[in-house]
Amino acid sequence: MIDLTPRPLRLLEAYADGEAARHFTFAFEPRRDEPRGRPGQFFMLALPGVGEAAFTYVSTPDANGRFSALIRRTGSLTAALFALEAGAVLGYRGPFGRPWPELPATGRVLAVAGGCGLAPLAGLLEQAPERLALVYAARSRAHQVLGRERERWRARLRLIETLDQGEAGLPGGNPLTVVRQWLGEGEAPALVLSCGPEALMLAVARCCLEAGMAADRVWLSLERRMHCGVGLCGHCYIGASYACLDGPTYRYDDYLQLLAASGQVAAAALPPQPC
């Protein structure tokens, strides 16, 4: 039986983290033997009298039910959330969806994120080995997110940051140029993970195929309107797939098959093109 009743969730703290974005820390009372969540999954956050929406984890719940999330102010629900103070009680359901795959034991790994698309990758990056490289693209310094986390990652991983318009210390231009350079530096990567604007992710996937990678080694995190989280409302179809159940992380070859089976024509299905 599916239970759609949210459980109590307490807001512990929040701070500004990027343009119109805040970094929230929440906590709930954990239940015995329940799944805590894995990087790439999402949860449903309910504000009494306002509504409910899906958000991704930055850090997944620990043994005490404490976790964090990066949330942008985009509408009435997030505006109401931004107005709350520490101690406020909300509602929580989760974890939902399919997480990122396990990182391979050997081989290079590339993560590509755009804007707030860095958040779904954060939990994975916290535990990633040094052989992982991160390309992070944003419109400007003000639009960059997870500043505290990036400082930690920069000391341990290869972190390449780009801005739409160059600013002091950071190059401007297309992040795909950086991706292509990295792909050509050595052996083919064992895995590529991407999250951000869908056009960016699909372009990254095509770059990987153009470089000779197999489509089953590329993973994308696809954002859809997940209103229920359990495959009932039908708002998050990708082909014949529910993103809330089979995603939000999809292997690129599976994604292409979904498009082909549904007769959809998209840039993702076109032959690989130079980046």
Side-chain angles (χ1 to χ4, degrees):
M1 181 177 178
I2 296 175
D3 185 4
L4 298 179
T5 304
R7 62 202 292 183
L9 179 74
R10 190 170 298 277
L11 170 59
L12 300 182
E13 63 176 351
Y15 60 87
D17 194 356
E19 182 75 19
R22 303 193 78 186
H23 195 127
F24 290 86
T25 301
F26 304 103
F28 58 84
E29 187 66 33
R31 297 167 183 164
R32 188 174 181 179
D33 299 328
E34 70 176 346
R36 294 180 190 169
R38 293 171 57 191
Q41 290 186 294
F42 69 96
F43 66 96
M44 301 298 297
L45 179 67
L47 272 69
V50 181
E52 186 180 45
F55 298 100
T56 189
Y57 298 102
V58 167
S59 65
T60 52
D62 62 17
N64 297 314
R66 182 185 176 114
F67 68 95
S68 63
L70 181 81
I71 298 176
R72 290 185 63 227
R73 181 168 178 164
T74 57
S76 58
L77 187 145
T78 50
L81 175 63
F82 276 39
L84 296 178
E85 297 182 355
V89 177
L90 305 90
Y92 169 84
R93 292 191 295 120
F96 297 119
R98 181 164 62 164
W100 294 110
E102 295 289 339
L103 295 181
T106 60
R108 298 195 305 160
V109 178
L110 175 65
V112 183
C116 289
L118 187 59
L121 286 161
L124 198 68
L125 294 169
E126 287 288 351
Q127 54 186 310
E130 293 182 359
R131 53 194 168 82
L132 182 144
L134 169 62
V135 176
Y136 177 48
R139 290 173 58 189
S140 68
R141 284 188 183 274
H143 287 86
Q144 290 183 313
V145 299
L146 302 188
R148 298 178 186 180
E149 287 78 5
R150 283 188 289 113
E151 282 302 313
R152 291 200 300 272
W153 301 336
R154 190 175 289 111
R156 183 172 52 85
L157 306 172
R158 181 179 179 185
L159 172 55
I160 308 166
E161 301 177 0
T162 68
L163 304 176
D164 286 358
Q165 300 295 326
E167 299 180 24
L170 288 180
N174 193 331
L176 298 177
T177 301
V178 178
V179 170
R180 192 180 189 194
Q181 289 173 347
W182 186 92
L183 289 170
E185 284 181 0
E187 64 179 12
L191 194 65
V192 172
L193 312 168
S194 185
C195 185
E198 195 155 338
L200 170 64
M201 290 190 290
L202 298 180
V204 168
R206 292 198 299 273
C207 280
C208 292
L209 268 60
E210 193 268 342
M213 281 187 65
D216 62 3
R217 287 193 285 167
V218 180
W219 288 74
L220 316 176
S221 180
L222 298 168
E223 181 179 315
R224 294 293 185 269
R225 293 189 176 276
M226 294 175 282
H227 288 189
C228 70
V230 292
L232 292 178
C233 70
H235 286 89
C236 64
Y237 274 124
I238 296 180
S241 168
Y242 285 113
C244 67
L245 299 179
D246 304 319
T249 64
Y250 283 88
R251 211 172 64 189
Y252 187 53
D253 59 329
D254 291 337
Y255 172 71
L256 293 179
Q257 289 178 11
L258 287 170
L259 293 183
S262 62
Q264 296 182 45
V265 177
L270 295 176
Q273 299 293 325
C275 305

